[in-house]
Amino acid sequence: LIDEVERVARELERLSRQQQDPRLQNISRDLRQAVRDMRQAQSSGQNDQEAQMRAQQALERLQEAQQGLGQQRRQRLAEDLQQLKEQSERLVKEQKDVLDKVGDIDKTAKSGNMDPNYIRQLRNVLRQKSRLQEDLQQLEGDLHQSARQMESKQTEASRKLKQAALGIRDQRIPEKMEDGTNLLARGWTDLAKEREKGIMNDLEEMAQRIREAEKALGSGNQETPREKLQRALNQVGNLVENLESLENRASGNNQEGQRGEQGEQQEGQQEGQQEGQQEGQQQGQQQGQQGQQESQGSESAQGGQSRAGISRQAGRNPNASGVDPRQVGREWRERVEDAEELRGLLEGRSELGRDVAGLIRRMRRLDAQRIFDDAEELARLKSQVIDGFRQLELELNRTLDEEVENLLRLVDSDEVPPEFRQRVEEYYRTLANRRNPD
């Protein structure tokens, strides 16, 4: 399997250079990372946990590559269809121009004014019709080729393109174009005009079928349920990473604030002790001086305790702790929006959708700014939100594995060598057995 994935990665990299397509380059990069993960899993020896982790990472990379190949294929087909549509519409436009010119030539011929300008117009129209015939022949070949490419995945679009291509022959459009040319050359302009009208109708019908094929491709161009589930898995993974980053920053800020409070308290106590020691050393002095020193010592100790109290109050103030409340608020709103997008991806999956909705409600009840100076609020972020999304990630992984039945194909089944398919199936059967031991 490693050898085959490396081969596919090299082939995609070569195609990316030939076609100047960065999408193929990105997919090739994912496959190479999957190869590295599989090699590390292979060299893990008896460390089953590490091997399982590397195998899971390889699986995720392969799934991302598969998803990228599917998207690249759909985009390429859409681009090809757009080009076919533009070619057909240009042919219709050119034929309309020919029809108008033939009408002018017919009027001139009926007026009997056969001047050199008439001959020049006639030659220009004949050359224009010759180019139209060549373009139509090229379009016919492109239609057949695109129909074959879409046949396995986009059956309706492929059928419409075949109809458009076969209609060129069924309606005898090339022969009609040739007839129109001969009628013009012989001076039968009125008959040529009627023939060009028929060609115009045939070309418009062909263009309409190509537009219908484009619509059929659009209806089949939506994400499959499994692709949407894979995107949801990637989304929840990014969301967990961002929430953990927020948790780590808040945890570090709280610890720093606690150390600052303890330092202030110790400083106040030390000041009080120093003042007391000075009082003890001066007991032999006059009573008035002793009373004055005792008063100063008491005030100093009280001042130290007061400063510690002020420091504690400042530690609870987000601004004093160096945290911008507006920035925290914006970041938290972005995380809530990410969760809302995740709920949209899981629409139609009632159980998973309810889980996300519950997590979103918990997020809205949290005060994001308080997590930077409130240990209880920080604990709620971890236990009620982050751990919940981690559990959701596990559920998504399990659901995705059940839907693909531990089988991943990087390209169409009819394009994969039989021995490669067998290795892929064996790899994922082994991976499934490690996840679900008897």
Side-chain angles (χ1 to χ4, degrees):
L1 178 61
I2 291 174
D3 292 341
E4 292 294 343
V5 174
E6 281 185 322
R7 181 186 63 79
V8 174
R10 289 193 300 269
E11 182 67 16
L12 290 176
E13 190 171 4
R14 182 184 65 81
L15 289 174
S16 71
R17 291 194 298 268
Q18 290 180 351
Q19 302 179 8
Q20 297 296 313
D21 192 342
R23 296 170 298 186
L24 293 177
Q25 180 66 32
N26 293 335
I27 297 170
S28 175
R29 190 179 302 114
D30 285 340
L31 290 178
R32 291 189 183 280
Q33 181 60 50
V35 168
R36 288 192 289 270
D37 291 333
M38 285 190 286
R39 289 195 186 281
Q40 291 175 355
Q42 193 178 46
S43 61
S44 297
Q46 299 299 322
N47 192 340
D48 291 340
Q49 184 175 2
E50 182 180 356
Q52 173 64 23
M53 181 187 69
R54 295 298 183 185
Q56 177 64 29
Q57 290 175 346
L59 172 62
E60 292 173 357
R61 293 288 183 181
L62 291 172
Q63 289 172 335
E64 290 174 3
Q66 180 195 25
Q67 184 179 6
L69 282 172
Q71 292 175 350
Q72 193 272 346
R73 174 188 174 90
R74 289 192 296 271
Q75 291 173 1
R76 188 183 70 246
L77 293 178
E79 291 168 359
D80 291 345
L81 256 179
Q82 176 67 22
Q83 186 176 3
L84 291 173
K85 185 181 74 170
E86 292 175 355
Q87 288 177 341
S88 66
E89 291 175 348
R90 183 173 57 81
L91 286 179
V92 172
K93 184 178 180 181
E94 286 284 331
Q95 180 60 28
K96 185 178 184 303
D97 186 56
V98 167
L99 181 58
D100 292 340
K101 290 178 179 178
V102 171
D104 294 338
I105 291 173
D106 182 46
K107 291 179 182 178
T108 303
K110 289 180 179 178
S111 66
N113 186 15
M114 303 293 188
D115 57 6
N117 185 49
Y118 169 84
I119 302 300
R120 188 164 47 252
Q121 283 182 316
L122 181 60
R123 288 176 178 174
N124 289 337
V125 170
L126 292 177
R127 282 196 294 269
Q128 188 175 5
K129 283 179 58 60
S130 177
R131 290 194 300 270
L132 263 175
Q133 285 182 260
E134 294 176 0
D135 292 343
L136 180 64
Q137 182 179 6
Q138 178 65 41
L139 178 59
E140 182 181 7
D142 293 342
L143 288 171
H144 280 296
Q145 181 179 358
S146 295
R148 286 193 298 269
Q149 291 176 349
M150 299 180 189
E151 192 169 13
S152 61
K153 295 292 185 181
Q154 300 287 343
T155 55
E156 182 62 18
S158 174
R159 186 176 67 84
K160 293 292 184 181
L161 290 182
K162 285 181 181 179
Q163 288 179 350
L166 295 175
I168 295 175
R169 292 299 169 184
D170 293 342
Q171 301 296 331
R172 302 180 62 254
I173 300 178
E175 289 82 356
K176 291 178 181 178
M177 286 182 169
E178 189 67 30
D179 290 343
T181 298
N182 293 332
L183 292 172
L184 275 177
R186 295 178 182 180
W188 295 344
T189 56
D190 53 346
L191 295 178
K193 182 179 178 181
E194 293 300 319
R195 178 63 71 186
E196 297 301 330
K197 286 182 180 179
I199 297 172
M200 179 74 178
N201 294 333
D202 293 339
L203 291 178
E204 287 179 340
E205 183 178 351
M206 177 197 66
Q208 177 60 31
R209 286 175 175 170
I210 295 175
R211 286 192 291 270
E212 291 174 356
E214 186 180 40
K215 291 181 180 178
L217 179 65
S219 62
N221 201 26
Q222 303 297 324
E223 281 185 312
T224 65
R226 190 176 62 78
E227 289 172 340
K228 188 177 289 188
L229 194 64
Q230 178 64 52
R231 194 150 65 92
L233 181 60
N234 297 336
Q235 176 81 357
V236 74
N238 293 333
L239 181 57
V240 167
E241 290 180 2
N242 290 327
L243 289 173
E244 287 179 338
S245 173
L246 184 65
E247 178 199 12
N248 292 335
R249 280 177 284 145
S251 178
N253 185 80
N254 284 339
Q255 292 175 3
E256 183 177 351
Q258 291 174 1
R259 287 194 298 268
E261 290 181 8
Q262 293 173 358
E264 293 289 348
Q265 292 174 355
Q266 292 175 359
E267 181 181 353
Q269 292 173 358
Q270 290 174 359
E271 289 181 0
Q273 291 173 358
Q274 290 174 0
E275 294 293 340
Q277 291 173 359
Q278 290 177 2
E279 294 172 4
Q281 293 172 358
Q282 296 174 356
Q283 287 179 357
Q285 297 180 358
Q286 297 178 358
Q287 187 67 27
Q289 293 176 348
Q290 182 177 3
Q292 184 179 1
Q293 289 173 350
E294 290 175 355
S295 176
Q296 291 176 352
S298 176
E299 291 176 357
S300 179
Q302 292 176 358
Q305 294 175 356
S306 176
R307 283 191 296 274
I310 293 174
S311 176
R312 285 192 295 271
Q313 292 176 358
R316 288 193 293 269
N317 185 346
N319 292 325
S321 63
V323 178
D324 186 352
R326 292 174 298 179
Q327 180 179 354
V328 174
R330 286 193 299 269
E331 184 175 355
W332 187 252
R333 286 192 295 271
E334 289 176 0
R335 301 291 81 79
V336 174
E337 290 174 1
D338 292 342
E340 291 284 2
E341 182 180 351
L342 177 62
R343 179 164 62 175
L345 291 174
L346 296 176
E347 185 178 2
R349 298 179 181 272
S350 57
E351 185 174 350
L352 295 174
R354 284 195 300 270
D355 292 343
V356 178
L359 290 170
I360 292 174
R361 287 193 297 272
R362 296 177 190 175
M363 293 179 72
R364 295 189 184 282
R365 286 197 294 265
L366 279 176
D367 187 345
Q369 296 177 13
R370 286 180 56 199
I371 66 174
F372 280 86
D373 54 10
D374 189 330
E376 293 183 359
E377 198 75 3
L378 178 61
R380 280 193 289 271
L381 170 64
K382 182 181 185 306
S383 62
Q384 297 183 10
V385 177
I386 296 178
D387 290 348
F389 278 113
R390 283 175 177 165
Q391 182 62 34
L392 177 64
E393 187 175 16
L394 294 176
E395 292 295 330
L396 285 171
N397 255 316
R398 187 178 300 111
T399 303
L400 188 62
D401 289 343
E402 290 174 356
E403 291 197 359
V404 300
E405 296 178 349
N406 298 320
L407 177 62
L408 176 67
R409 292 184 175 89
L410 292 178
V411 290
D412 294 339
S413 60
D414 54 352
E415 298 174 357
V416 182
E419 56 187 34
F420 181 32
R421 290 201 302 271
Q422 184 177 0
R423 293 176 185 177
V424 173
E425 293 170 2
E426 180 62 28
Y427 177 76
Y428 288 108
R429 277 197 297 269
T430 303
L431 185 60
N433 290 336
R434 287 182 179 179
R435 290 179 178 172
N436 304 304
D438 294 336

